[in-house]
Amino acid sequence: MMQLENYLRLYAGQYPDKLAVIASDASLTYASLWQEVRECAGRLMAQSLCPGHARLIRATQDAAFLVDYLATHLAGGVAVPLERDIPEGRYREIERLLDGTDIPEGIADILFTTGTTGQSKGVMISHKALLADAENLAEAQGFSPDLTFIISGPLNHIGSLSKVWPTILTGGTLHILDGLKDLNAFFSILETPGRYATFQVPAALRLLMSLANDRLAACADRIDFIETGAAPLAQADMEHLCHLLPHSRLYNTYASTETGIVCTHDYNDGLCQAGCLGRPMKHSRVFITAEGTVACQGETLMTGYVGSPEMTVSVLRDGTLYTNDRGRLDADGRLHLAGRTDDLINVGGFKVSPAEVEEAALSLPGVHDCICVGVPHPMTGHQLKLLVVLDKGVPLDKKSLARQLHAHLEAYKVPLQYEEVEAVRRTFNGKIDRKAYKINEE
């Protein structure tokens, strides 16, 4: 069975002195990375790591994690990357779940979802799916040996972990950062001659444009591409990024832990439209169900939810993964999303997507971040409330916000209530934590 580690071994022989990974704890060439992975795999097997046995790994943002992760595969085990600060109780809960579960043959990873809309689930990803994801990205986005990919997001989530895969597949270089807390560290990489790419969630892109707009523009000639995902990117942010980086490829990607990496769209190449996720990639197919939701097929799909066959068949049947994402395909086969069915708010019989309201609000001057929630109303059952984070020094003018939103939205989609907040709660991968707000509403 072909695995990602076969490519690591190949490049260790062909390009032994080429840098494979740069991180705070070490810089490793392909030869030294392969050697450390082999030695670690040997230790794991000596410690009785059995083929198909799950191994929990705290996902630190360093080369040591990468060695641990790849060595687990090489030793025949299943890698289970977890948040590095995961509570001990949750760690033990996952440990007990995996100890009592038979894991199918050929599984590479088990990734636990963030649980923003429900219970966190362990998603089983096969070696075949992992390589299909890597090939999808490598071909569609142009990964190559001379590319340095900057990873700043958590490596226990598919958004950042999936960039490890095509980089190793193509013999590129990984540069791992511990988030964007130190913008100087991020820009010190981009300001060095080379060809760079990165994955950033929309909230991080907004941060970069807010705090380092000119510095980002100054690096335009060295930024080959930037990919975003995990949450919708506002139209205004897309247009601003296109202006800052006129020659860079800027990708919106449709992906999830369950579906794998499915579609991508360069919105700096003609169609700059929020919600457009592009065409399916090499190993993927999509169609829209009769209910208007997105269904995915192909080699990137998960094998199932660990320890939960009932939950698996509720979404994965006959080689098709049925999502809760509402979408459509345009005449050119590009996927367009319009929020999730389980996020819809019923306002007097009208179904409102909070993402649409948030998209409109984020286009307004002075609005830094926001979330639209449903609150009880005696006549309509629910009404809309917008929680906004305003730019520094901007006062909350409820009437002005409502008036401006009326120019973008139908009347029933314009919130009746407004409240200024210090921050919008988000998960570690940048998604709005809607579950937390729903709990507060009850």
Side-chain angles (χ1 to χ4, degrees):
M1 177 177 59
M2 193 68 173
Q3 294 185 190
L4 183 66
E5 291 67 34
N6 295 114
Y7 291 91
L8 175 58
R9 178 177 60 189
L10 172 68
Y11 295 131
Q14 290 184 348
Y15 315 113
D17 298 325
K18 186 179 189 303
L19 276 175
V21 59
I22 304 168
S24 59
D25 61 331
S27 293
L28 301 174
T29 64
Y30 269 92
S32 57
L33 177 59
W34 174 239
Q35 180 179 345
E36 291 206 15
V37 168
R38 287 179 59 199
E39 291 174 354
C40 183
R43 291 193 297 271
L44 294 176
M45 288 186 285
Q47 295 165 8
S48 302
L49 178 64
C50 303
H53 181 77
R55 179 166 180 263
L56 280 61
I57 313 170
R58 293 182 186 269
T60 50
Q61 298 291 120
D62 51 28
F65 165 77
L66 190 62
V67 170
D68 243 4
Y69 171 75
L70 297 169
T72 300
H73 292 167
L74 190 64
V78 177
V80 188
L82 301 173
E83 295 175 65
R84 60 182 170 187
D85 299 323
I86 186 171
E88 190 64 22
R90 177 59 176 154
Y91 184 97
R92 297 304 172 197
E93 180 184 333
I94 292 173
E95 193 173 47
R96 288 191 295 272
L97 168 65
L98 298 177
D99 282 345
T101 303
D102 290 328
I103 299 172
E105 186 177 352
I107 299 300
D109 295 352
I110 297 175
L111 302 183
F112 279 83
T113 63
T114 55
T116 53
T117 58
Q119 180 184 357
S120 175
K121 301 173 286 289
V123 178
M124 296 184 289
I125 300 172
S126 68
H127 285 284
K128 179 181 178 181
L130 187 155
L131 283 178
D133 283 324
E135 290 178 3
N136 269 1
L137 284 169
E139 181 176 291
Q141 296 182 350
F143 282 72
S144 64
D146 65 336
L147 182 72
T148 295
F149 200 98
I150 305 170
I151 291 179
S152 59
L155 286 164
N156 60 301
H157 180 259
I158 196 168
S160 291
L161 184 61
S162 65
K163 306 312 174 288
V164 170
W165 307 335
T167 303
I168 291 179
L169 179 80
T170 56
T173 300
L174 292 162
H175 201 133
I176 302 173
L177 294 176
D178 188 7
L180 289 179
K181 295 175 291 187
D182 184 353
L183 287 181
N184 285 329
F186 177 74
F187 281 105
S188 69
I189 301 169
L190 293 179
E191 289 163 357
T192 303
R195 177 172 171 255
Y196 299 98
T198 188
F199 171 85
Q200 300 293 335
V201 297
L205 288 176
R206 181 165 273 247
L207 174 73
L208 287 171
M209 289 185 284
S210 173
L211 298 181
N213 189 73
D214 293 343
R215 206 168 176 186
L216 189 63
C219 298
D221 291 342
R222 288 184 287 279
I223 298 175
D224 190 35
F225 68 88
I226 295 177
E227 183 194 29
T228 194
L233 182 63
Q235 180 76 34
D237 289 342
M238 292 170 62
E239 292 172 358
H240 186 50
L241 203 56
C242 289
H243 174 72
L244 288 178
L245 307 173
H247 306 299
S248 302
R249 287 173 284 122
L250 302 172
Y251 291 104
N252 260 336
T253 297
Y254 181 63
S256 72
T257 318
E258 289 91 340
T259 63
I261 317 298
V262 177
C263 299
T264 198
H265 172 63
D266 177 9
Y267 58 89
N268 204 13
D269 190 26
L271 182 64
C272 182
Q273 182 178 334
C276 181
L277 283 304
R279 300 178 185 86
M281 291 182 261
K282 177 180 180 180
H283 294 294
S284 302
R285 298 178 296 280
V286 298
F287 67 92
I288 307 301
T289 68
E291 294 75 27
T293 56
V294 180
C296 302
Q297 298 173 328
E299 296 179 11
T300 66
L301 303 185
M302 71 170 182
T303 300
Y305 294 120
V306 65
S308 186
E310 299 84 2
M311 193 176 294
T312 298
V313 298
S314 71
V315 297
L316 181 60
R317 299 182 294 278
D318 300 323
T320 301
L321 195 294
Y322 296 90
T323 77
N324 284 320
D325 297 317
R326 297 184 301 116
R328 64 177 178 86
L329 295 174
D330 66 20
D332 292 319
R334 291 177 295 230
L335 175 65
H336 297 252
L337 289 190
R340 292 178 58 86
T341 57
D342 45 9
D343 288 339
L344 293 177
I345 302 170
N346 190 332
V347 180
F350 292 101
K351 300 294 180 62
V352 180
S353 167
E356 183 181 358
V357 179
E358 292 152 7
E359 160 75 20
L362 287 171
S363 70
L364 304 180
V367 177
H368 180 74
D369 203 358
C370 65
I371 178 174
C372 178
V373 299
V375 294
H377 188 273
M379 298 296 292
T380 60
H382 285 90
Q383 68 176 6
L384 302 179
K385 181 176 182 178
L386 190 69
L387 307 179
V388 292
V389 180
L390 297 171
D391 290 338
K392 187 175 180 180
V394 175
L396 176 62
D397 187 335
K398 299 178 184 180
K399 290 183 179 180
S400 176
L401 277 176
R403 186 171 57 254
Q404 292 179 80
L405 288 173
H406 269 291
H408 296 271
L409 301 166
E410 294 94 329
Y412 69 90
K413 296 179 182 177
V414 176
L416 295 181
Q417 295 185 28
Y418 299 85
E419 179 184 341
E420 184 177 1
V421 294
E422 291 186 1
V424 172
R425 299 179 198 177
R426 293 181 178 272
T427 64
F428 63 83
N429 62 342
K431 291 183 180 180
I432 292 177
D433 190 356
R434 297 192 189 277
K435 185 172 69 171
Y437 288 94
K438 288 177 181 177
I439 290 172
N440 287 342
E441 293 164 18
E442 293 176 354

